[in-house]
Amino acid sequence: MKLKGRNKINPQFSMSSMTDIVFLLLIFFMLTANAPNALDLLLPKAKGKSTNTQNVSVTINKNLEYFVNNERINGEYIEIELKKALKDQEKPTIILRAEESVAIKEAVNVMDIANRNNYKVILAVRPN
């Protein structure tokens, strides 16, 4: 009588499935990680679609500090900096990131500069 089974148990562990899972998690976190700007701002909420086309980013924080492409500048020279940054652009576009507590007149000032120079302005908001 033969009591020994035909199927042998293999004690080795295969890492290929674990590697696949780690790789998929890496891809998932890279796609969901979103760091469009390095400044910590609380943007106003709004419904609408977001856009990925960005030429120049203008940020105004709650201390009324102005940043053009995350580089701090004096508020008096914002028009000069925008002209420098957008001089070679075919369709010059400004992404305006004004913190929620910033007075509307500060954002309107940037919009007025854009209007005088025929720049398109997109106001960045948090998704609702």
Side-chain angles (χ1 to χ4, degrees):
M1 217 195 244
K2 194 173 184 184
L3 294 176
K4 199 172 189 182
R6 289 188 213 167
N7 299 334
K8 287 191 173 185
I9 298 174
N10 188 358
Q12 295 178 343
F13 179 73
S14 175
M15 286 293 292
S16 63
S17 60
M18 187 65 73
T19 306
D20 291 344
I21 291 172
V22 170
F23 181 69
L24 288 173
L25 283 173
L26 176 68
I27 290 174
F28 174 75
F29 286 123
M30 285 177 58
L31 291 175
T32 58
N34 135 351
N37 56 351
L39 302 172
D40 187 26
L41 294 177
L42 184 62
L43 296 173
K45 290 183 181 179
K47 291 183 181 177
K49 65 177 186 173
S50 62
T51 178
N52 290 333
T53 59
Q54 177 178 342
N55 288 339
V56 173
S57 170
V58 175
T59 306
I60 309 170
N61 67 11
K62 63 184 172 187
N63 299 325
L64 299 180
E65 297 172 328
Y66 288 82
F67 297 85
V68 174
N69 289 336
N70 296 328
E71 184 178 322
R72 187 173 178 205
I73 63 163
N74 190 339
E76 298 172 8
Y77 304 114
I78 191 163
E79 186 167 6
I80 297 167
E81 291 295 323
L82 286 174
K83 284 181 179 180
K84 276 194 253 181
L86 293 169
K87 67 180 176 182
D88 295 330
Q89 299 295 332
E90 184 179 320
K91 294 181 181 178
T93 304
I94 298 171
I95 305 291
L96 178 57
R97 290 182 170 88
E99 199 161 358
E100 197 171 29
S101 62
V102 171
I104 193 70
K105 71 176 187 172
E106 304 299 329
V108 170
N109 182 31
V110 176
M111 291 177 180
D112 185 44
I113 291 170
N115 188 35
R116 284 195 307 256
N117 295 293
N118 295 323
Y119 300 150
K120 183 178 175 185
V121 178
I122 299 172
L123 181 61
V125 292
R126 285 184 294 158
N128 195 5

